[in-house]
Amino acid sequence: MAAWSDADLGYMRAAIGEARVAAQAGEVPVGAVVVVDGEIIARGVNRTISDIDPSAHAEIVALRAAAQELGDYRLTTATVYVTLEPCAMCMGAMVQARVQRLVFGAYDPKAGAAGSAIDLSDSASFNHRFEINGGVLAEDCGKVLKTFFENRR
């Protein structure tokens, strides 16, 4: 297990809080926060069901809010914290936004695109790469998902 900074742990706990908000709304409980200069500037939860939008993943919702907050679609100094390893769509959006860093909690062996199911993090096809740190509070992040799906059965 890696030694995570207190800041990383705090921001991931904030993302876990967002995941719980998603669960309460009946959405798959994934939460994200975007941090710039040590401050959370945007938050996102999965909203695919409530928005009737297949692209409304927590990361996309948070990236859109961060771009609006900064008045720029380039988030070159941003760190995205998300409770579940991003899918291919979300990794692509982070490349387009030029984020500086991604920190995620639970690994997603079925759809994770930061090394689990596929690795888009180091693709020669992309013109931007960013730092990726996975497994931050992975057990806590996974528990939120597991509890949600157990309760739905």
Side-chain angles (χ1 to χ4, degrees):
M1 181 173 146
W4 306 107
S5 73
D6 288 342
D8 285 338
L9 296 173
Y11 296 132
M12 187 57 72
R13 286 186 184 103
I16 291 169
E18 296 300 313
R20 290 188 176 116
V21 169
Q24 296 229 335
E27 298 277 358
V28 173
V30 178
V33 298
V34 179
V35 175
V36 174
D37 295 330
E39 288 187 43
I40 296 174
I41 64 160
R43 297 170 183 270
V45 300
N46 267 3
R47 298 183 49 89
T48 56
I49 298 167
S50 58
D51 288 1
I52 313 169
D53 179 356
S55 71
H57 289 194
E59 300 94 310
I60 303 293
V61 171
L63 289 170
R64 288 176 178 156
Q68 289 296 310
E69 178 67 23
L70 295 177
D72 192 346
Y73 72 100
R74 300 292 173 131
L75 306 175
T76 59
T77 62
T79 299
V80 176
Y81 290 84
V82 61
T83 57
L84 183 64
E85 180 182 1
C87 70
M89 174 184 69
C90 293
M91 287 293 288
M94 285 183 258
V95 168
Q96 294 302 314
R98 306 295 195 265
V99 300
Q100 184 175 49
R101 183 175 177 228
L102 162 67
V103 180
F104 68 86
Y107 287 86
D108 185 353
K110 293 182 180 178
S116 290
I118 188 171
D119 191 355
L120 297 180
S121 67
D122 195 28
S123 173
S125 299
F126 290 148
N127 61 349
H128 175 71
R129 288 175 188 67
F130 48 92
E131 180 182 345
I132 298 176
N133 305 111
V136 180
L137 297 177
E139 188 173 314
D140 294 343
C141 294
K143 184 176 180 183
V144 174
L145 285 158
K146 183 178 178 185
T147 300
F148 175 79
F149 287 113
E150 285 174 351
N151 289 339
R152 291 184 62 110
R153 289 185 193 127

